[in-house]
Structure formats: structure tokens, C-alpha cells
Amino acid sequence: MKAYEAIAKYAGQSDKSDEDIRNREADTELKQARKQVVTGENETEEALDKLDSILEGDA
């Protein structure tokens, strides 16, 4: 069983659903956008628009 899991992991397969993966990616993007706004890093109109769209749930 462990060999199968290792092969599946190496092949990029996961037991997580696509929705779980998308939620994790969206959470990561939200955290990055918040950091950029708070720290002033890359404070461009594009970064602020991206944060707005994430907070609205469009991203």
C-alpha cells in the first residue's frame, strides 16, 4: 500500500478533491494579496484589484 501511495504521489495524484485544491490555492492568493497590501510590497493598482476580486469571491 505504501508503494502505491508513493507512486501516486510521485505521479501528481492526490486523494484531495479538486475543490480542496482550489480552496487552498485561493487561500494562498488571498494571504499573498493581504501581505502585499499590509507591507506595501508591490502596491500597484493590479495588486489592489486582485485583492478586491479575491475578497468578492471572483478569483
Side-chain angles (χ1 to χ4, degrees):
M1 186 66 177
K2 288 189 181 216
Y4 170 76
E5 291 172 355
I7 292 170
K9 186 174 182 179
Y10 180 74
Q13 297 178 355
S14 173
D15 60 347
K16 295 185 180 191
S17 71
D18 288 341
E19 183 178 351
D20 288 340
I21 293 169
R22 284 191 304 271
N23 285 339
R24 187 178 69 223
E25 290 171 351
D27 186 52
T28 299
E29 287 182 17
L30 177 59
K31 288 176 183 176
Q32 289 173 342
R34 283 181 176 162
K35 178 185 173 223
Q36 289 175 349
V37 169
V38 169
T39 63
E41 292 178 18
N42 193 24
E43 192 171 318
T44 63
E45 193 65 32
E46 180 183 347
L48 296 173
D49 288 343
K50 184 174 182 178
L51 177 60
D52 288 340
S53 77
I54 290 170
L55 292 173
E56 292 172 2
D58 294 339

